[in-house]
Amino acid sequence: MSFGNYYEQDDPMAMYQMLQRGGMRGPPKRFDEYYRCYPTVMLPGPEREDLNYGGKIIMPPSALEKLTRLHITYPMLFELTNGQMDRTTHCGVLEFIAEEGKLYLPNWMMQALLLDTGDLIQIRSTDLALASLVKLQPQDVNFLEISDPKAVLEKAFRNFSTVTKGDIFSFKYNDTIYDVAVLEVKPESDKMGVCVMETDVEVDFAPPVGYVEPTRTSGTSTPRSGIGMPAGGMLHNQGTMAQAINYDAIAPSSNSALAGSKAVSSNFLLGGQKLSAKKSSKTPTPKASTPVAGTSTNPPAPAATAVRRTNGPQPLRLAPNKLFFGYEIKPLKTQADKDKENADAQQPHFAGQGYTLKGGVKREKEEKVEVKEEKKPEPSVGRRLDGRKV
């Protein structure tokens, strides 16, 4: 049994919904009006640059009153149509403060609808499905400089209620304006628009307009024909990377690099001292006891000596975006190597005999020192002139 096509036996809530709408007057009417459109920069009052980088419009207060009478609930979504150019897009509403008979649209929306200032536009209320996928294409390769584009777009979408397939919208990030085209939306429908409010949207990106894939040349490909080229091909015009940076001369084990570094990193650059602690025969020039104007009596600080460290690889000055993995590989020590080091460590290191500065051989501690016995003088005894003992 049905009653005016509103009540069905399998849907008892249909009658209640019909009474809530005002009896049997039919379904609620659709908001359908015509207005003159203007860019948001012409909105009276202080300048609001953020209005130009979103997907919401400014409507007059009378539109809110009519929407309330028609029971149009949140979110209020609208379909904008330029009948002369057969262009359509979708939007949301931000405020109801415009003058009567006027609409204020972002600049990118007016370009999408091919509208000029003051043109007539039709606006109707509509319903759109929640977006599940949006595929975008940046219109400039500068978009690749954004470190986290998905996070940036997530913030930009807060100013949007809908996106429509075929539109090119704009947003601002770090004082730079980016234009992005909508290539695909899901779920698909005849309206070609989706709602991006209060939903989880999967965002996919197409290569930016004007982007060219860099050509990659493999260093392990077939070697080119030529004389003196290394096997496996040349990475650049100087030969291999090791040849280009002259690695043999700057390697940690290089004799030339070690000798040059020792020459400038000597630890005996200051004046020497004698072992006898005798001062030099040259006497310093005496200074005047009376201070001279404009000069300091403090002794000058010694100049800092540049010390160059040699306990490590020398720095490599490579071109940008270049890497070099030519350092010598030190294999891990095996158990046999560790046992050999332990055996060497247990052997005595000072088994030889030492030498003194005079060139003599140093005696061992265990050698006994001979003690010379002193001869005691005999007591004085008188002697006879003939030599006989007394």
Side-chain angles (χ1 to χ4, degrees), residues 9-284:
Q9 292 181 354
D10 57 349
D11 189 8
M13 291 297 296
M15 176 62 74
Y16 174 76
Q17 295 176 358
M18 181 267 295
L19 294 176
Q20 289 293 106
R21 290 193 294 261
M24 296 184 295
R25 293 179 297 176
K29 294 182 180 180
R30 185 181 185 183
F31 182 85
D32 191 349
E33 296 291 339
Y34 286 86
Y35 292 95
R36 297 287 179 180
C37 62
Y38 297 89
T40 53
V41 294
M42 299 182 65
L43 181 68
E47 183 180 0
R48 301 170 61 181
E49 186 181 6
D50 57 316
L51 298 180
N52 207 30
Y53 307 110
K56 300 179 181 181
I57 63 175
I58 306 296
M59 301 180 67
S62 60
L64 176 60
E65 181 181 355
K66 189 172 183 179
L67 289 169
T68 305
R69 291 200 311 266
L70 295 175
H71 303 282
I72 306 297
T73 58
Y74 177 87
M76 295 182 180
L77 305 179
F78 301 94
E79 178 183 289
L80 302 177
T81 304
N82 182 3
Q84 295 182 354
M85 298 296 181
D86 194 19
R87 290 297 187 96
T88 302
T89 189
H90 301 86
C91 67
V93 58
L94 182 63
E95 296 176 359
F96 296 90
I97 59 174
E99 299 93 328
E100 293 299 330
K102 294 183 179 180
L103 290 181
Y104 290 94
L105 282 65
N107 185 50
W108 70 264
M109 195 175 294
M110 295 191 65
Q111 293 179 357
L113 295 173
L114 302 179
L115 292 171
D116 292 331
T117 302
D119 286 352
L120 200 63
I121 189 175
Q122 182 183 13
I123 177 171
R124 293 180 292 182
S125 59
T126 186
D127 293 324
L128 297 175
L130 295 178
S132 60
L133 172 67
V134 177
K135 186 174 182 179
L136 307 175
Q137 183 185 31
Q139 300 299 293
D140 195 340
V141 294
N142 292 334
F143 186 83
L144 300 176
E145 298 178 0
I146 301 178
S147 59
D148 192 354
K150 291 189 177 182
V152 173
L153 282 175
E154 180 180 355
K155 182 179 179 181
F157 275 167
R158 296 175 184 174
N159 300 325
F160 288 79
S161 298
T162 66
V163 290
T164 306
K165 181 179 179 180
D167 284 354
I168 300 179
F169 64 89
S170 302
F171 70 93
K172 189 174 183 180
Y173 175 71
N174 282 350
D175 297 332
T176 304
I177 300 174
Y178 298 94
D179 296 331
V180 180
V182 182
L183 301 183
E184 183 182 356
V185 294
K186 288 185 179 181
E188 298 180 354
S189 63
D190 297 338
K191 298 179 181 180
M192 297 189 300
V194 290
C195 177
V196 294
M197 298 179 62
E198 300 178 358
T199 182
D200 294 331
V201 185
E202 180 182 355
V203 180
D204 190 13
F205 291 96
V209 176
Y211 176 74
V212 179
E213 285 285 346
T215 57
R216 299 179 181 178
T217 57
S218 175
T220 58
S221 60
T222 305
R224 303 176 184 176
S225 59
I227 301 176
M229 293 185 181
M234 293 177 58
L235 297 179
H236 35 70
N237 54 359
Q238 292 89 359
T240 62
M241 177 65 77
Q243 295 174 357
I245 65 175
N246 195 14
Y247 177 71
D248 294 337
I250 63 176
S253 59
S254 174
N255 294 330
S256 60
L258 185 59
S261 60
K262 285 184 177 180
V264 297
S265 61
S266 176
N267 296 325
F268 299 97
L269 296 179
L270 300 178
Q273 300 292 336
K274 294 183 178 180
L275 294 178
S276 60
K278 293 182 179 180
K279 296 184 179 180
S280 176
S281 59
K282 296 181 179 180
T283 57

